[in-house]
Amino acid sequence: LYGAKNVVVMGDSSGGGMALATLILGTSYLGEGNLPPPAGVGLSSPWAALSDAAGKTASAVKFDPVAGGYSPQNFVPTEEEPVAPLGWGDYLPSGLPAAFNLPGYAYATSARRDADSLVSPNVATEEELRAAARPDSVWVAHGGQEVFSDTMSELACALDKAGTLHESHVMKTMPHDAMLVAPSFDFGCGRGRGDPHTWEPTVAWMRMLRWLHHLGPEWLEGG
């Protein structure tokens, strides 16, 4: 209807993984009906690795709110720091059989989660990633203290190798999907500490807007 050059595909969390999987399907697996890639792809904390192994990476263990010891109940308040500070890990549990894994069990078999790029886009080939997005058109952001952090870094590296990555932006002290959920979780600024202009999610939104501008005036002006 609008033409691929006038479409930007975006998604966050599981929606980010599904957005990328949908693009891989539409650009590589429709045979003669394969579609062209969109003008850009924006992924916020994309859950793109659904294998059991993804729940056992270093970041999954370190930032698990329970197993990693980062849970607020393990925080000892002081007069100087009465509330758990930023960088206190993620809010998503990664240990079996927790929320990190259960959606994957319901979504697909272990074999498909390990090896099928339409289920786990992290295992996509360079050829699939190159077909799914235009060169220098993919923007990825995630928290540096997510249980998903390691797998998201792997995805960004794969996109970069395929030549499609524009930027991978890491919010160093943020948990999962901070661009969308940070205000409701009252990180930093909401407690009267920190500058909203330099707040990591705010900076991420500004970088995302710069990426949209990078896609070109033709797209911004409606084609």
Side-chain angles (χ1 to χ4, degrees):
L1 178 61
Y2 298 104
K5 69 177 183 178
N6 293 315
V7 173
V8 172
V9 175
M10 302 187 72
D12 70 288
S13 192
S14 60
M18 287 189 283
L20 186 53
T22 299
L23 289 171
I24 292 170
L25 172 66
T27 56
S28 291
Y29 290 97
L30 299 183
E32 293 182 0
N34 279 345
L35 302 171
V41 183
L43 306 173
S44 171
S45 292
W47 185 13
L50 277 69
S51 68
D52 291 344
K56 301 173 184 177
T57 63
S59 65
V61 174
K62 181 177 181 180
F63 299 122
D64 184 299
V66 179
Y70 284 83
S71 184
Q73 64 256 31
N74 295 324
F75 173 72
V76 179
T78 65
E79 185 176 349
E80 293 76 23
E81 191 70 77
V83 183
L86 298 176
W88 201 248
D90 208 346
Y91 55 84
L92 291 180
S94 62
L96 292 170
F100 185 96
N101 303 89
L102 292 178
Y105 298 159
Y107 193 60
T109 64
S110 177
R112 290 198 65 194
R113 287 185 286 112
D114 285 344
D116 189 341
S117 60
L118 301 183
V119 175
S120 291
N122 258 47
V123 302
T125 65
E126 187 174 330
E127 189 175 24
E128 288 174 327
L129 293 176
R130 193 176 294 119
R134 300 181 186 212
D136 194 29
S137 70
V138 183
W139 190 81
V140 182
H142 69 85
Q145 302 208 352
E146 298 197 35
V147 293
F148 297 115
S149 182
D150 286 344
T151 60
M152 291 173 186
S153 294
E154 290 172 3
L155 176 62
C157 287
L159 290 164
D160 189 38
K161 187 176 180 181
T164 60
L165 183 70
H166 174 68
E167 180 185 25
S168 175
H169 180 68
V170 181
M171 297 168 280
K172 292 183 180 179
T173 67
M174 287 291 114
H176 181 65
D177 214 3
M179 287 184 68
L180 275 72
V181 306
S184 63
F185 275 86
D186 199 27
F187 297 132
C189 296
R191 297 199 294 266
R193 299 181 304 156
D195 181 351
H197 298 92
T198 58
W199 194 35
E200 288 183 287
T202 305
V203 172
W205 276 100
M206 295 305 297
R207 296 189 77 91
M208 186 194 75
L209 292 174
R210 291 192 192 104
W211 159 71
L212 287 172
H213 188 269
H214 156 82
L215 296 179
E218 183 176 283
W219 179 80
L220 292 173
E221 294 168 5

